[in-house]
PDB file of all heavy atoms in Angstrom:
ATOM      1  N   THR A 133      96.175 103.284 111.608  1.00 56.00           N
ATOM      2  CA  THR A 133      96.875 104.307 110.826  1.00 56.00           C
ATOM      3  C   THR A 133      98.263 103.808 110.403  1.00 56.00           C
ATOM      4  O   THR A 133      98.636 103.945 109.238  1.00 56.00           O
ATOM      5  CB  THR A 133      97.086 105.620 111.634  1.00 56.00           C
ATOM      6  OG1 THR A 133      95.793 106.051 112.110  1.00 56.00           O
ATOM      7  CG2 THR A 133      97.772 106.695 110.862  1.00 56.00           C
ATOM      8  N   THR A 134      98.957 103.122 111.303  1.00 57.00           N
ATOM      9  CA  THR A 134     100.253 102.607 111.053  1.00 57.00           C
ATOM     10  C   THR A 134     100.126 101.469 109.992  1.00 57.00           C
ATOM     11  O   THR A 134     100.938 101.426 109.042  1.00 57.00           O
ATOM     12  CB  THR A 134     100.929 102.004 112.322  1.00 57.00           C
ATOM     13  OG1 THR A 134     100.892 103.038 113.334  1.00 57.00           O
ATOM     14  CG2 THR A 134     102.375 101.579 112.023  1.00 57.00           C
ATOM     15  N   ASN A 135      99.156 100.594 110.149  1.00 60.00           N
ATOM     16  CA  ASN A 135      98.986  99.493 109.204  1.00 60.00           C
ATOM     17  C   ASN A 135      98.660 100.062 107.785  1.00 60.00           C
ATOM     18  O   ASN A 135      99.093  99.496 106.825  1.00 60.00           O
ATOM     19  CB  ASN A 135      97.870  98.552 109.663  1.00 60.00           C
ATOM     20  CG  ASN A 135      98.317  97.788 110.924  1.00 60.00           C
ATOM     21  OD1 ASN A 135      99.499  97.528 111.102  1.00 60.00           O
ATOM     22  ND2 ASN A 135      97.339  97.370 111.734  1.00 60.00           N
ATOM     23  N   LEU A 136      97.827 101.139 107.796  1.00 57.00           N
ATOM     24  CA  LEU A 136      97.418 101.653 106.483  1.00 57.00           C
ATOM     25  C   LEU A 136      98.650 102.239 105.768  1.00 57.00           C
ATOM     26  O   LEU A 136      98.779 102.016 104.572  1.00 57.00           O
ATOM     27  CB  LEU A 136      96.369 102.766 106.807  1.00 57.00           C
ATOM     28  CG  LEU A 136      95.593 103.256 105.544  1.00 57.00           C
ATOM     29  CD1 LEU A 136      94.792 102.149 104.950  1.00 57.00           C
ATOM     30  CD2 LEU A 136      94.692 104.412 105.966  1.00 57.00           C
ATOM     31  N   ILE A 137      99.468 103.038 106.484  1.00 58.00           N
ATOM     32  CA  ILE A 137     100.668 103.597 105.887  1.00 58.00           C
ATOM     33  C   ILE A 137     101.628 102.471 105.532  1.00 58.00           C
ATOM     34  O   ILE A 137     102.325 102.537 104.518  1.00 58.00           O
ATOM     35  CB  ILE A 137     101.287 104.616 106.900  1.00 58.00           C
ATOM     36  CG1 ILE A 137     100.347 105.762 107.133  1.00 58.00           C
ATOM     37  CG2 ILE A 137     102.593 105.206 106.308  1.00 58.00           C
ATOM     38  CD1 ILE A 137     100.767 106.703 108.227  1.00 58.00           C
ATOM     39  N   GLY A 138     101.698 101.445 106.408  1.00 57.00           N
ATOM     40  CA  GLY A 138     102.485 100.311 106.108  1.00 57.00           C
ATOM     41  C   GLY A 138     102.114  99.557 104.790  1.00 57.00           C
ATOM     42  O   GLY A 138     102.957  99.081 104.077  1.00 57.00           O
ATOM     43  N   SER A 139     100.821  99.575 104.538  1.00 57.00           N
ATOM     44  CA  SER A 139     100.309  99.001 103.271  1.00 57.00           C
ATOM     45  C   SER A 139     100.847  99.798 102.038  1.00 57.00           C
ATOM     46  O   SER A 139     101.145  99.213 101.062  1.00 57.00           O
ATOM     47  CB  SER A 139      98.810  98.967 103.234  1.00 57.00           C
ATOM     48  OG  SER A 139      98.326  98.129 104.278  1.00 57.00           O
ATOM     49  N   ILE A 140     100.905 101.100 102.252  1.00 57.00           N
ATOM     50  CA  ILE A 140     101.474 101.952 101.189  1.00 57.00           C
ATOM     51  C   ILE A 140     102.941 101.666 100.980  1.00 57.00           C
ATOM     52  O   ILE A 140     103.445 101.586  99.827  1.00 57.00           O
ATOM     53  CB  ILE A 140     101.272 103.439 101.534  1.00 57.00           C
ATOM     54  CG1 ILE A 140      99.748 103.771 101.591  1.00 57.00           C
ATOM     55  CG2 ILE A 140     101.950 104.338 100.523  1.00 57.00           C
ATOM     56  CD1 ILE A 140      99.434 105.179 102.130  1.00 57.00           C
ATOM     57  N   GLY A 141     103.698 101.423 102.116  1.00 56.00           N
ATOM     58  CA  GLY A 141     105.065 101.046 102.063  1.00 56.00           C
ATOM     59  C   GLY A 141     105.259  99.699 101.307  1.00 56.00           C
ATOM     60  O   GLY A 141     106.203  99.547 100.473  1.00 56.00           O
ATOM     61  N   THR A 142     104.338  98.763 101.510  1.00 57.00           N
ATOM     62  CA  THR A 142     104.423  97.448 100.835  1.00 57.00           C
ATOM     63  C   THR A 142     104.165  97.635  99.347  1.00 57.00           C
ATOM     64  O   THR A 142     104.837  97.046  98.494  1.00 57.00           O
ATOM     65  CB  THR A 142     103.330  96.472 101.386  1.00 57.00           C
ATOM     66  OG1 THR A 142     103.558  96.375 102.822  1.00 57.00           O
ATOM     67  CG2 THR A 142     103.441  95.173 100.770  1.00 57.00           C
ATOM     68  N   PHE A 143     103.239  98.545  99.084  1.00 58.00           N
ATOM     69  CA  PHE A 143     102.947  98.852  97.648  1.00 58.00           C
ATOM     70  C   PHE A 143     104.133  99.440  96.993  1.00 58.00           C
ATOM     71  O   PHE A 143     104.510  99.100  95.852  1.00 58.00           O
ATOM     72  CB  PHE A 143     101.712  99.867  97.677  1.00 58.00           C
ATOM     73  CG  PHE A 143     101.681 100.697  96.375  1.00 58.00           C
ATOM     74  CD1 PHE A 143     101.246 100.158  95.191  1.00 58.00           C
ATOM     75  CD2 PHE A 143     101.932 102.068  96.461  1.00 58.00           C
ATOM     76  CE1 PHE A 143     101.166 100.925  94.104  1.00 58.00           C
ATOM     77  CE2 PHE A 143     101.875 102.812  95.309  1.00 58.00           C
ATOM     78  CZ  PHE A 143     101.498 102.249  94.157  1.00 58.00           C
ATOM     79  N   LEU A 144     104.889 100.383  97.649  1.00 59.00           N
ATOM     80  CA  LEU A 144     106.091 100.981  97.095  1.00 59.00           C
ATOM     81  C   LEU A 144     107.187  99.974  96.941  1.00 59.00           C
ATOM     82  O   LEU A 144     108.075 100.092  96.080  1.00 59.00           O
ATOM     83  CB  LEU A 144     106.522 102.161  97.970  1.00 59.00           C
ATOM     84  CG  LEU A 144     105.592 103.382  98.031  1.00 59.00           C
ATOM     85  CD1 LEU A 144     106.086 104.393  99.002  1.00 59.00           C
ATOM     86  CD2 LEU A 144     105.490 104.028  96.573  1.00 59.00           C
ATOM     87  N   SER A 145     107.165  98.935  97.786  1.00 62.00           N
ATOM     88  CA  SER A 145     108.224  97.895  97.712  1.00 62.00           C
ATOM     89  C   SER A 145     108.202  97.093  96.434  1.00 62.00           C
ATOM     90  O   SER A 145     109.203  96.489  96.034  1.00 62.00           O
ATOM     91  CB  SER A 145     108.188  96.960  98.944  1.00 62.00           C
ATOM     92  OG  SER A 145     106.986  96.173  98.849  1.00 62.00           O
ATOM     93  N   LYS A 146     107.057  97.099  95.778  1.00 71.00           N
ATOM     94  CA  LYS A 146     106.893  96.373  94.489  1.00 71.00           C
ATOM     95  C   LYS A 146     107.208  97.233  93.307  1.00 71.00           C
ATOM     96  O   LYS A 146     106.994  96.893  92.166  1.00 71.00           O
ATOM     97  CB  LYS A 146     105.433  95.890  94.356  1.00 71.00           C
ATOM     98  CG  LYS A 146     105.027  94.892  95.474  1.00 71.00           C
ATOM     99  CD  LYS A 146     103.565  94.504  95.352  1.00 71.00           C
ATOM    100  CE  LYS A 146     103.120  93.571  96.442  1.00 71.00           C
ATOM    101  NZ  LYS A 146     101.713  93.221  96.414  1.00 71.00           N
ATOM    102  N   PHE A 147     107.798  98.403  93.645  1.00 74.00           N
ATOM    103  CA  PHE A 147     108.085  99.408  92.626  1.00 74.00           C
ATOM    104  C   PHE A 147     108.938  98.891  91.501  1.00 74.00           C
ATOM    105  O   PHE A 147     108.668  99.141  90.310  1.00 74.00           O
ATOM    106  CB  PHE A 147     108.687 100.648  93.240  1.00 74.00           C
ATOM    107  CG  PHE A 147     108.999 101.708  92.301  1.00 74.00           C
ATOM    108  CD1 PHE A 147     108.018 102.515  91.725  1.00 74.00           C
ATOM    109  CD2 PHE A 147     110.306 101.925  91.972  1.00 74.00           C
ATOM    110  CE1 PHE A 147     108.309 103.481  90.833  1.00 74.00           C
ATOM    111  CE2 PHE A 147     110.675 102.941  91.028  1.00 74.00           C
ATOM    112  CZ  PHE A 147     109.681 103.731  90.478  1.00 74.00           C
ATOM    113  N   LEU A 148     110.013  98.248  91.862  1.00 76.00           N
ATOM    114  CA  LEU A 148     111.001  97.736  90.793  1.00 76.00           C
ATOM    115  C   LEU A 148     110.323  96.790  89.801  1.00 76.00           C
ATOM    116  O   LEU A 148     110.478  96.894  88.588  1.00 76.00           O
ATOM    117  CB  LEU A 148     112.187  97.065  91.459  1.00 76.00           C
ATOM    118  CG  LEU A 148     113.229  96.510  90.537  1.00 76.00           C
ATOM    119  CD1 LEU A 148     113.837  97.643  89.686  1.00 76.00           C
ATOM    120  CD2 LEU A 148     114.292  95.751  91.311  1.00 76.00           C
ATOM    121  N   LEU A 149     109.515  95.872  90.376  1.00 81.00           N
ATOM    122  CA  LEU A 149     108.782  94.903  89.503  1.00 81.00           C
ATOM    123  C   LEU A 149     107.753  95.615  88.612  1.00 81.00           C
ATOM    124  O   LEU A 149     107.607  95.286  87.426  1.00 81.00           O
ATOM    125  CB  LEU A 149     108.033  93.909  90.415  1.00 81.00           C
ATOM    126  CG  LEU A 149     107.503  92.609  89.743  1.00 81.00           C
ATOM    127  CD1 LEU A 149     108.641  91.885  89.083  1.00 81.00           C
ATOM    128  CD2 LEU A 149     106.813  91.770  90.787  1.00 81.00           C
TER     129      LEU A 149
END
Side-chain angles (χ1 to χ4, degrees):
T133 305
T134 308
N135 291 335
L136 194 60
I137 299 173
S139 298
I140 296 172
T142 304
F143 157 72
L144 292 173
S145 69
K146 298 176 182 177
F147 177 75
L148 180 61
L149 196 57

